[in-house]
Amino acid sequence: MKKLNGFPFIIVLLFSLSIQAQTKKWTLEECVKYAIDNNISIKQTELDTKTADIDKKGAIGNFLPSLNANASHSWNIGLNQDITTGLLRNQTTQFTSAGANVGIDIYRGLQNQNTLRRANLSIIAAKYQLTKMKEDVALNVANAFLQVLFNKENLKVQQDQKANNEKQLLRSEELVKAGSVPRGDLLDIKATVAADGQRVVAAENALLISKLSLAQLLQLKEFYDFDITDETSVKDENNILAQTPIAVYDKAKELRTELKIAKTNLEIAEKNVAIAKGAFQPTLQGFYSINSRVSYADVPAFDSFGNLIGTKSPAPFMDQFRDNKGQNFGVQLSIPIFNGFSARNNVERSKVNLEKSKIAVEQEELTLQRNVYTAFTDAKGGLNAYQSALSALEARQEAYNYAKERYAVGMMNSFDFNQSQTLLSNAQSEVLRTKYDYIFKIKILEFYFGIPIIKN
């Protein structure tokens, strides 16, 4: 009986936990962090960073000596010289040889040093590119997040508008029965309620689509119950509009990742020129090799007077390997004289790419300046538009209240009253649009000023 009494409790607890899990609402900070951790483009860029690390290991390896070993075993079958008689005859002989060689670059026109410097710069550029990707994802998530909030509030406005018109429909039915308003006005109100229903459905669909878009941006596999918090504030928390466009631009030049990427690519292009020029200089390499040989054929035998008396078995393997070893070492100097203009063309090509990188830096600075001034102007305009929309909404609300009073006493027809309602609904929608447009533009301006979308 105790087990039976406890079982319903467990079912209720699990159901409660399930409901809590389904009703979890994501904050903007949670959305951005989740997207950064799971976005596919970011993961691909992280792999580019690993590739840059591997390239650096290869550049370091150029300074290390190369070591190679070799071994072979051969059979000579057929017509060979007999070492006892000096005559040619058919026989089979076997030989084993082994060796090792070491080579190292002593001087290579500073190409190895410049290659390592370029690899270090490539790692920096890859990290900047990863940061840029994270910033872009954060902005896209913030925009999608605000779009969901806009659609949520727009749905509430449409639902409230429908609820008010349904109440007005009931009131109109009473007025028609009392003879205060004509029956045609009642039909107009019914048509308005039906249109409100269509707008509610459209708002619900827009909200669902925006939620799906945000969930897909986060790479969520299960997004059926996905929802976000409704907490928003329309204010310049960091007082960014108190700054001047010049101050924002100067700050952006120090912090913006795209400009850092362009400058790093310029440094990489300079190293490429230095590497290409290194091909004109002589190279000096050191080498060392050791080898030995073992034969399995019989060897000539001599008496004490040095006369050939026949053959005998070869010496043991290790004895031959030790006695037959030889060494070779030295340095090799290579001086480029003519190589079909290959080195010269590589230098010229690298110089062209260097000029392109310089132009890219200048272009990035101009683009950044234009974007900053545009963002500042948009933020100012967004604030003015939002304040104007609030003033217009206040006036439309008063006009609607006045029209509602007149309609209630039969001093206004349904067409004019519906027009007043429509204007009020449009004003409410305009407030929502300008509100979230202003919030996003403030985020963009803060972004250029170095204020992150979310604070760590």
Side-chain angles (χ1 to χ4, degrees), residues 142-388:
N143 188 28
F145 189 91
L146 293 176
Q147 186 63 44
V148 175
L149 289 179
F150 166 76
N151 288 328
K152 273 191 168 188
E153 292 201 22
N154 184 57
L155 176 59
K156 291 179 182 178
V157 168
Q158 301 303 329
Q159 289 173 338
D160 292 342
Q161 186 67 35
K162 180 183 177 183
N164 290 333
N165 285 333
E166 287 175 346
K167 292 179 181 179
Q168 193 61 42
L169 176 60
L170 296 176
R171 174 62 177 163
S172 298
E173 289 176 347
E174 295 176 355
L175 293 175
V176 168
K177 291 179 181 179
S180 300
V181 295
R183 184 172 180 80
D185 289 357
L186 178 61
L187 298 177
D188 287 338
I189 295 294
K190 287 184 177 181
T192 300
V193 171
D196 288 339
Q198 293 177 341
R199 283 190 286 268
V200 168
V201 172
E204 289 174 343
N205 292 337
L207 175 59
L208 178 60
I209 292 174
S210 62
K211 283 184 179 181
L212 292 177
S213 298
L214 178 56
Q216 291 178 349
L217 190 59
L218 299 182
Q219 305 295 331
L220 287 178
K221 296 181 179 179
E222 298 180 359
F223 47 80
Y224 305 102
D225 299 320
F226 175 74
D227 200 3
I228 64 173
T229 59
D230 300 335
E231 299 176 1
T232 55
S233 60
V234 187
K235 59 181 180 180
D236 186 2
E237 297 178 351
N238 297 293
N239 201 23
I240 190 67
L241 289 178
Q243 303 289 336
T244 63
I246 296 177
V248 176
Y249 174 62
D250 290 339
K251 191 79 171 180
K253 283 198 299 183
E254 298 175 4
L255 301 175
R256 288 307 309 134
T257 307
E258 54 265 32
L259 189 55
K260 291 180 180 179
I261 293 174
K263 291 180 177 179
T264 304
N265 288 337
L266 175 59
E267 294 183 50
I268 292 175
E270 291 173 347
K271 296 305 175 189
N272 285 333
V273 173
I275 293 172
K277 287 182 177 179
F280 287 117
Q281 300 186 31
T283 60
L284 183 63
Q285 293 178 315
F287 61 88
Y288 171 81
S289 64
I290 182 172
N291 56 79
S292 185
R293 178 183 177 90
V294 176
S295 174
Y296 299 91
D298 291 341
V299 297
F302 301 93
D303 59 16
S304 58
F305 298 102
N307 297 318
L308 179 65
I309 59 175
T311 61
K312 63 179 180 179
S313 299
F317 182 92
M318 292 306 299
D319 291 344
Q320 288 192 63
F321 193 83
R322 181 179 61 252
D323 296 337
N324 295 337
K325 69 180 179 181
Q327 301 182 61
N328 181 31
F329 59 89
V331 293
Q332 179 180 348
L333 178 66
S334 177
I335 302 174
I337 297 175
F338 182 75
N339 51 20
F341 302 110
S342 175
R344 185 179 300 277
N345 290 337
N346 287 336
V347 171
E348 295 300 323
R349 192 179 295 109
S350 298
K351 287 182 177 179
V352 171
N353 291 332
L354 176 60
E355 292 301 318
K356 288 182 179 180
S357 297
K358 291 180 179 178
I359 295 174
V361 172
E362 295 177 2
Q363 182 61 53
E364 202 61 56
E365 289 178 346
L366 292 174
T367 301
L368 180 61
Q369 185 180 36
R370 181 180 68 251
N371 291 342
V372 167
Y373 276 79
T374 301
F376 193 88
T377 303
D378 288 345
K380 284 266 190 182
L383 175 60
N384 294 333
Y386 177 62
Q387 291 174 340
S388 299

Side-chain angles (χ1 to χ4, degrees), residues 136-147:
D136 291 343
V137 169
L139 276 179
N140 291 335
V141 169
N143 188 28
F145 189 91
L146 293 176
Q147 186 63 44

Side-chain angles (χ1 to χ4, degrees), residues 5-6 66 81 90 138 157 175 221 276 387 391 402 450:
N5 290 335
S66 61
Q81 187 179 28
N90 287 323
V157 168
L175 293 175
K221 296 181 179 179
Q387 291 174 340
S391 299
Y402 179 68

